[in-house]
Coordinates of all heavy atoms in Angstrom, one line a residue:
Chain B
N52 N 121.6 85.3 106.7 CA 122.7 84.9 107.6 C 123.2 86.0 108.5 O 123.9 85.7 109.4 CB 123.9 84.3 106.8 CG 124.6 85.3 105.9 OD1 124.0 86.3 105.5 ND2 125.8 85.1 105.6
R53 N 122.7 87.2 108.2 CA 123.2 88.3 109.0 C 122.1 88.9 109.8 O 121.0 89.0 109.4 CB 123.8 89.5 108.1 CG 125.0 89.0 107.3 CD 125.5 90.1 106.3 NE 124.6 90.3 105.2 CZ 124.5 91.5 104.6 NH1 125.2 92.5 105.0 NH2 123.7 91.6 103.5
L54 N 122.5 89.1 111.1 CA 121.4 89.6 112.1 C 122.0 90.7 112.9 O 123.1 90.6 113.4 CB 121.0 88.4 112.9 CG 119.8 88.6 113.8 CD1 118.9 87.3 114.0 CD2 120.3 89.1 115.3
Y55 N 121.2 91.7 113.1 CA 121.6 92.9 113.8 C 120.6 93.2 115.0 O 119.4 92.9 114.8 CB 121.6 94.1 113.0 CG 122.4 94.0 111.8 CD1 122.0 93.3 110.6 CD2 123.7 94.6 111.7 CE1 122.8 93.3 109.5 CE2 124.5 94.5 110.6 CZ 124.0 93.8 109.5 OH 124.8 93.7 108.4
W56 N 121.1 93.7 116.1 CA 120.2 94.2 117.2 C 120.5 95.7 117.3 O 121.6 96.2 117.2 CB 120.5 93.6 118.5 CG 120.0 92.2 118.7 CD1 120.6 91.0 118.5 CD2 118.6 91.8 119.0 NE1 119.8 89.9 118.8 CE2 118.6 90.4 119.1 CE3 117.5 92.6 119.4 CZ2 117.4 89.7 119.5 CZ3 116.4 91.9 119.8 CH2 116.3 90.5 119.8
Y57 N 119.4 96.5 117.5 CA 119.4 97.9 117.7 C 118.6 98.3 118.9 O 117.7 97.5 119.3 CB 118.8 98.7 116.5 CG 119.7 98.5 115.2 CD1 119.5 97.5 114.3 CD2 120.6 99.5 114.9 CE1 120.2 97.4 113.2 CE2 121.4 99.4 113.7 CZ 121.2 98.3 112.9 OH 121.9 98.2 111.7
R58 N 118.9 99.5 119.4 CA 118.0 100.1 120.5 C 117.6 101.4 120.0 O 118.4 102.2 119.4 CB 118.8 100.2 121.8 CG 118.1 100.9 122.8 CD 118.9 100.8 124.1 NE 120.2 101.4 124.0 CZ 121.2 101.3 124.9 NH1 121.0 100.5 125.9 NH2 122.4 101.8 124.7
Q59 N 116.3 101.7 120.2 CA 115.8 103.0 119.7 C 115.0 103.7 120.9 O 114.1 103.1 121.4 CB 114.9 102.9 118.5 CG 114.5 104.2 117.9 CD 113.7 104.1 116.6 OE1 113.2 103.0 116.3 NE2 113.6 105.2 115.9
T60 N 115.4 104.9 121.2 CA 114.7 105.7 122.2 C 113.9 106.8 121.4 O 114.2 107.1 120.3 CB 115.6 106.3 123.2 OG1 116.7 107.0 122.6 CG2 116.2 105.1 124.0
L61 N 113.0 107.4 122.1 CA 112.1 108.5 121.6 C 113.0 109.6 120.9 O 113.9 110.2 121.5 CB 111.2 109.0 122.6 CG 110.0 109.8 122.1 CD1 109.1 108.9 121.3 CD2 109.2 110.4 123.3
G62 N 112.6 109.9 119.7 CA 113.3 111.0 119.0 C 114.7 110.7 118.5 O 115.3 111.6 117.9
Q63 N 115.0 109.4 118.6 CA 116.4 109.0 118.0 C 116.2 108.0 117.0 O 115.2 107.3 116.9 CB 117.2 108.5 119.2 CG 117.5 109.4 120.3 CD 118.2 110.7 119.8 OE1 119.3 110.6 119.1 NE2 117.8 111.9 120.2
G64 N 117.3 107.8 116.2 CA 117.3 106.7 115.2 C 117.7 105.4 115.9 O 118.2 105.5 117.1
P65 N 117.6 104.3 115.2 CA 118.1 103.1 115.8 C 119.6 103.1 116.1 O 120.4 103.7 115.3 CB 117.8 102.0 114.7 CG 116.7 102.6 113.9 CD 116.9 104.1 114.0
E66 N 120.0 102.6 117.3 CA 121.4 102.7 117.7 C 121.9 101.2 117.6 O 121.4 100.3 118.3 CB 121.5 103.2 119.1 CG 122.9 103.2 119.7 CD 122.9 103.5 121.2 OE1 121.9 103.5 121.8 OE2 124.0 103.6 121.7
F67 N 123.0 101.0 116.9 CA 123.6 99.7 116.7 C 124.0 99.1 118.0 O 124.7 99.8 118.8 CB 124.8 99.8 115.8 CG 125.6 98.5 115.7 CD1 125.1 97.5 114.8 CD2 126.7 98.3 116.4 CE1 125.9 96.3 114.7 CE2 127.4 97.1 116.3 CZ 127.0 96.1 115.4
L68 N 123.7 97.8 118.3 CA 124.1 97.1 119.5 C 125.1 96.0 119.2 O 126.2 96.0 119.7 CB 122.9 96.5 120.2 CG 121.9 97.5 120.9 CD1 120.8 96.7 121.5 CD2 122.6 98.4 121.8
T69 N 124.7 95.1 118.2 CA 125.5 94.0 117.9 C 125.2 93.4 116.6 O 124.1 93.6 116.1 CB 125.5 92.9 119.0 OG1 126.5 92.0 118.8 CG2 124.1 92.2 119.1
Y70 N 126.1 92.6 116.0 CA 125.9 92.0 114.7 C 126.4 90.5 114.7 O 127.5 90.2 115.3 CB 126.7 92.8 113.7 CG 127.0 92.1 112.4 CD1 126.0 91.8 111.5 CD2 128.3 91.7 112.0 CE1 126.2 91.2 110.3 CE2 128.6 91.1 110.8 CZ 127.5 90.8 109.9 OH 127.7 90.2 108.7
F71 N 125.6 89.7 114.1 CA 126.0 88.3 113.9 C 126.0 87.9 112.4 O 125.2 88.4 111.7 CB 124.9 87.4 114.6 CG 124.9 87.4 116.0 CD1 124.1 88.3 116.7 CD2 125.6 86.4 116.8 CE1 124.1 88.3 118.1 CE2 125.5 86.4 118.2 CZ 124.8 87.4 118.8
Q72 N 127.0 87.2 112.1 CA 127.0 86.5 110.8 C 127.0 85.0 111.0 O 127.9 84.5 111.6 CB 128.2 86.9 110.0 CG 128.2 86.3 108.6 CD 129.3 87.0 107.6 OE1 129.4 88.2 107.6 NE2 130.1 86.2 107.0
N73 N 125.9 84.4 110.6 CA 125.6 83.0 111.1 C 125.6 83.0 112.6 O 124.9 83.9 113.2 CB 126.6 82.1 110.4 CG 126.5 82.1 108.9 OD1 125.4 82.0 108.3 ND2 127.7 82.3 108.3
E74 N 126.3 82.1 113.2 CA 126.3 82.0 114.7 C 127.3 82.9 115.4 O 127.4 83.0 116.6 CB 126.4 80.6 115.1 CG 127.8 80.0 114.9 CD 127.9 79.4 113.4 OE1 126.9 79.6 112.6 OE2 128.8 78.7 113.1
A75 N 128.2 83.5 114.6 CA 129.3 84.3 115.1 C 129.0 85.7 115.4 O 128.5 86.4 114.5 CB 130.6 84.1 114.2
Q76 N 129.2 86.2 116.6 CA 129.0 87.6 116.9 C 130.3 88.4 116.5 O 131.3 88.2 117.1 CB 128.8 87.7 118.4 CG 128.4 89.1 118.8 CD 128.0 89.2 120.3 OE1 128.4 88.4 121.1 NE2 127.2 90.2 120.7
L77 N 130.2 89.1 115.4 CA 131.3 89.7 114.8 C 131.6 91.2 115.3 O 132.6 91.7 115.0 CB 131.2 89.7 113.3 CG 131.2 88.3 112.7 CD1 131.3 88.4 111.2 CD2 132.4 87.4 113.2
E78 N 130.5 91.8 115.8 CA 130.7 93.2 116.2 C 129.8 93.5 117.3 O 128.7 93.0 117.4 CB 130.3 94.1 114.9 CG 130.6 95.5 115.1 CD 132.1 95.8 114.6 OE1 132.5 95.2 113.6 OE2 132.7 96.7 115.3
K79 N 130.3 94.3 118.2 CA 129.5 94.7 119.4 C 129.8 96.1 119.7 O 131.0 96.5 119.6 CB 130.0 93.8 120.5 CG 129.1 93.9 121.8 CD 129.6 92.8 122.8 CE 128.8 93.0 124.1 NZ 129.2 92.0 125.2
S80 N 128.8 96.9 119.9 CA 129.0 98.4 120.1 C 129.9 98.6 121.4 O 129.7 97.9 122.4 CB 127.6 99.0 120.4 OG 127.8 100.4 120.8

Side-chain angles (χ1 to χ4, degrees):
Chain B
N52 66 333
R53 296 179 289 153
L54 188 146
Y55 304 81
W56 283 99
Y57 292 88
R58 174 173 59 194
Q59 185 176 18
T60 54
L61 194 62
Q63 300 297 314
E66 175 192 10
F67 171 83
L68 293 179
T69 191
Y70 162 68
F71 288 86
Q72 185 167 308
N73 300 310
E74 67 276 9
Q76 187 175 22
L77 297 186
E78 193 86 37
K79 191 174 175 181
S80 170

